[in-house]
Amino acid sequence: MSTPPPLVSIVIPLFNEESTLPLLTRRLNTLADSLSFSVEFVMVDDGSKDKTAAMMTDLKCGARQGVRALAPERQRERGASLSMISSAPVH
């Protein structure tokens, strides 16, 4: 039996968040565990120059099931990552 899609999706754009990403992931896990409905967090790297994109992938492996990480392969103009979300596959 497949898992139903999340009731709520929350998009979190990230830009150069290498130092704050571990704390953010822990807080999102805690928040999700406290909710009475299903939620997914979609972390989107918006062309960071630091290690944000790589860390998103690493942290996703240790995060709860409802965390997705999207990172464009190249720098995009401001806000372009939001349009990328609409075409991302839903898990």
Side-chain angles (χ1 to χ4, degrees), residues 12-87:
I12 305 166
L14 302 172
F15 184 75
N16 294 338
E17 299 294 339
E18 178 181 0
S19 64
T20 61
L21 202 49
L23 177 60
L24 173 64
T25 304
R26 286 193 304 273
R27 287 185 174 175
L28 292 177
N29 288 337
T30 300
L31 174 62
D33 291 341
S34 72
L35 299 174
S36 61
F37 54 89
S38 61
V39 62
E40 79 170 338
F41 300 101
V42 182
M43 298 187 298
V44 183
D45 180 53
D46 211 4
S48 297
K49 304 284 189 220
D50 63 2
K51 296 179 183 174
T52 298
M55 287 182 68
M56 283 172 29
T57 303
D58 292 344
L59 289 171
K60 182 181 179 292
C61 295
R64 55 189 317 279
Q65 186 174 359
V67 176
R68 287 197 292 155
L70 301 175
E73 292 183 20
R74 58 181 170 72
Q75 177 77 24
R76 301 170 84 87
E77 69 268 7
R78 181 181 170 97
S81 59
L82 295 178
S83 64
M84 185 173 84
I85 293 164
S86 63
S87 63

